């Protein structure tokens, strides 16, 4: 599963839809293929899958891709208020260093598609945007968007622009390169091995003007609760895993699971493919985990474990287990020293 595949607020899609509207693009075209409608975007409680936001980005590029620096323009609209709790938690920290640590710890409460890291090395600190897992057709747009969004967040936190030493991007120099200079305050280098920006490490000790320790603790606790809640509900694949783990009625086939999810098996297969997996892969994954748990107890034979996992014959289970673990169930039990009476 790619790094960016986490549930998120619909605020980002609303921002992109507003940008598209300003460029003359209809909302229906922006939301095509997402399963979302205008009413859902207006609800503050609406959450979406990352794949739905990616579809919006693709729709936006299809309709407005001719607009120069579209990614930079999009990112400049991502003010702290768009991030909800994460934004409040950020500005309540005492220093930029503490804010950066919190921001990265709860990055999955944002709309980022790039993996973001902060690396300190002496008097310089580098902020890296790793785009290696971002789909190639939207990669440059999302690097531009996340870069401009980070700049916008810093400008929201401080009254003066944060000075940078250097900036670099993996993609080739675009025709609108001067827009990067206007945004970042320096001339960036293009065609580099990675995306990022370097600043003075001393800047990390700058105090934040709205710091409040009590608010910071409260917001961080709420961020953790929100992150836990989203991760429990993340994606169709997570729902399938949760269903397969139900001990009372284990391992239904895909058609039955699809009906329980109020969709067709074809739709379920398409959702799982978009998330980089399949029903067979998830079934294998859950069976492997449950097999380890069952074989670790001394009360079940291999035949009984095979039946519990839905295999018609123990021989099929043994072959599958060898594929998963590189050893037979007997060898696995010998390694964990389960009493011999349960071995087959």
């Amino acid at each position: 599963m790619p790094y960016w595949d986490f549930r998120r607020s619909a605020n980002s899609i609303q921002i992109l839809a507003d940008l598209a509207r300003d460029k003359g693009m209809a909302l229906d075209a922006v939301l095509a293929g997402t399963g979302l409608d205008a009413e859902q975007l207006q609800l503050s409680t609406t959450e979406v899958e990352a794949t739905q936001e990616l579809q919006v980005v693709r729709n936006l590029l299809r309709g407005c891709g001719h607009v120069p620096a579209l990614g930079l323009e999009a990112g400049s609209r991502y003010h702290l208020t768009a991030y909800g709790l994460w934004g409040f938690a950020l500005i309540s920290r005492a220093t930029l260093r503490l804010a950066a640590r919190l921001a990265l710890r709860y990055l999955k409460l944002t709309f980022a598609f790039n993996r973001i890291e902060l690396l300190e090395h002496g008097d310089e600190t580098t902020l890296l945007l790793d785009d290696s897992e971002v789909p190639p057709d939207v990669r440059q747009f999302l690097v531009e968007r996340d870069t401009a969004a980070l700049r916008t967040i810093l400008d929201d936190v401080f009254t003066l622009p944060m000075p940078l030493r250097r900036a670099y991007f993996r993609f080739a120099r675009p025709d609108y390169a001067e827009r990067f200079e206007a945004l970042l305050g320096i001339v960036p280098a293009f065609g580099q091995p990675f995306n990022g920006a370097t600043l003075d490490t001393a800047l990390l000790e700058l105090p934040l003007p709205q710091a409040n320790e009590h608010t910071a603790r409260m917001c961080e606790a709420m961020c953790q609760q929100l992150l836990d809640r989203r991760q429990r509900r993340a994606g169709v694949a997570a729902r399938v895993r949760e269903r397969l783990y139900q001990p009372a009625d284990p391992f239904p086939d895909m058609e039955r699971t699809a009906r329980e999810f109020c969709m067709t098996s074809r739709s379920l297969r398409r959702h799982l493919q978009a998330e980089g997996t399949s029903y067979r892969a998830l079934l294998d994954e859950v069976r492997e985990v449950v097999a380890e748990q069952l074989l670790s107890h001394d009360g079940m034979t291999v035949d009984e474990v095979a039946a519990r996992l839905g295999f018609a014959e123990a021989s099929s289970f043994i072959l599958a287990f060898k594929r998963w673990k590189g050893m037979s169930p007997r060898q696995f039990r010998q390694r964990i020293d389960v009493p011999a009476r349960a071995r087959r």
Side-chain angles (χ1 to χ4, degrees):
M1 180 183 295
Y3 165 78
W4 46 261
D5 194 8
F6 51 85
R7 286 181 69 86
R8 52 194 64 205
S9 160
N11 286 355
S12 180
I13 291 180
Q14 181 65 66
I15 291 171
L16 295 175
D18 289 343
L19 173 63
R21 180 200 60 208
D22 293 346
K23 304 299 179 186
M25 190 173 175
L27 181 60
D28 287 348
V30 175
L31 299 181
T34 66
L36 299 169
D37 57 35
E39 184 177 349
Q40 289 172 294
L41 289 189
Q42 297 302 318
L43 297 175
S44 61
T45 56
T46 299
E47 293 181 355
V48 299
E49 303 298 335
T51 50
Q52 290 174 296
E53 185 171 344
L54 270 186
Q55 183 61 46
V56 168
V57 170
R58 290 184 170 115
N59 293 341
L60 178 65
L61 290 175
R62 192 175 299 116
C64 305
H66 60 282
V67 177
L70 189 65
L72 296 180
E73 186 174 350
S76 67
R77 298 181 178 218
Y78 284 74
H79 291 279
L80 267 178
T81 52
Y83 298 91
L85 272 175
W86 183 85
F88 285 113
L90 209 65
I91 61 175
S92 62
R93 303 301 291 176
T95 65
L96 180 59
R97 182 190 302 278
L98 293 176
R101 288 176 179 172
L102 182 141
L104 296 180
R105 187 159 59 248
Y106 296 103
L107 195 64
K108 289 191 175 182
L109 294 181
T110 71
F111 316 112
F113 280 88
N114 298 280
R115 189 186 297 270
I116 301 175
E117 297 180 76
L118 195 68
L119 304 177
E120 293 187 40
H121 36 92
D123 66 342
E124 290 189 339
T125 292
T126 299
L127 186 69
L128 293 178
L129 276 72
D130 180 0
D131 62 4
S132 59
E133 295 183 62
V134 180
D137 62 321
V138 295
R139 185 173 293 161
Q140 182 170 333
F141 174 89
L142 289 170
V143 169
E144 292 184 11
R145 189 194 73 168
D146 288 356
T147 298
L150 288 168
R151 175 87 254 183
T152 301
I153 289 171
L154 286 173
D155 289 347
D156 285 348
V157 171
F158 295 101
T159 55
L160 297 175
M162 179 71 61
L164 300 176
R165 287 189 177 186
R166 293 180 298 279
Y168 9 77
F169 297 96
R170 289 212 304 156
F171 49 82
R173 177 185 175 87
D175 295 337
Y176 48 87
E178 71 282 353
R179 298 281 292 274
F180 286 87
E181 183 178 353
L183 174 74
L184 302 174
I186 56 173
V187 178
F190 296 94
Q192 301 301 302
F194 52 87
N195 309 297
T198 299
L199 50 80
D200 292 332
T201 299
L203 295 175
L204 297 180
E205 301 304 328
L206 286 175
L208 301 192
Q210 301 182 58
N212 183 289
E213 185 178 351
H214 173 73
T215 302
R217 288 198 303 268
M218 179 181 68
C219 286
E220 183 166 2
M222 294 172 72
C223 281
Q224 186 61 57
Q225 292 170 6
L226 177 58
L227 183 61
D228 290 342
R229 187 166 68 248
R230 284 187 183 173
Q231 288 179 332
R232 285 195 298 269
R233 305 200 313 255
V236 174
R239 292 176 61 197
V240 171
R241 286 191 193 94
E242 184 178 357
R243 174 62 185 87
L244 292 173
Y245 274 120
Q246 291 180 10
D249 187 17
F251 311 120
D253 60 24
M254 186 169 69
E255 285 71 22
R256 179 177 169 187
T257 301
R259 288 197 301 271
E260 292 178 4
F261 289 178
C262 298
M263 62 177 71
T264 65
S265 58
R266 181 179 179 182
S267 179
L268 176 57
R269 183 181 296 108
R270 186 172 64 251
H271 278 292
L272 294 177
Q273 286 176 342
E275 295 180 25
T277 188
S278 67
Y279 196 85
R280 171 94 181 247
L282 293 173
L283 181 60
D284 254 15
E285 176 187 321
V286 174
R287 276 176 162 171
E288 179 181 354
V289 172
V290 175
E292 289 184 25
Q293 294 171 346
L294 297 178
L295 289 170
S296 299
H297 296 287
D298 62 5
M300 298 183 72
T301 66
V302 171
D303 285 327
E304 290 169 336
V305 172
R308 167 65 178 79
L309 295 176
F311 287 93
E313 299 178 350
S315 58
S316 299
F317 164 60
I318 292 171
L319 287 174
F321 195 85
K322 286 180 178 179
R323 175 166 52 84
W324 297 332
K325 312 301 292 184
M327 67 183 78
S328 69
R330 179 192 294 271
Q331 292 170 320
F332 176 80
R333 277 189 147 154
Q334 288 172 343
R335 289 197 175 190
I336 62 175
D337 198 30
V338 172
R341 65 178 179 273
R343 298 178 190 146
R344 183 176 183 271

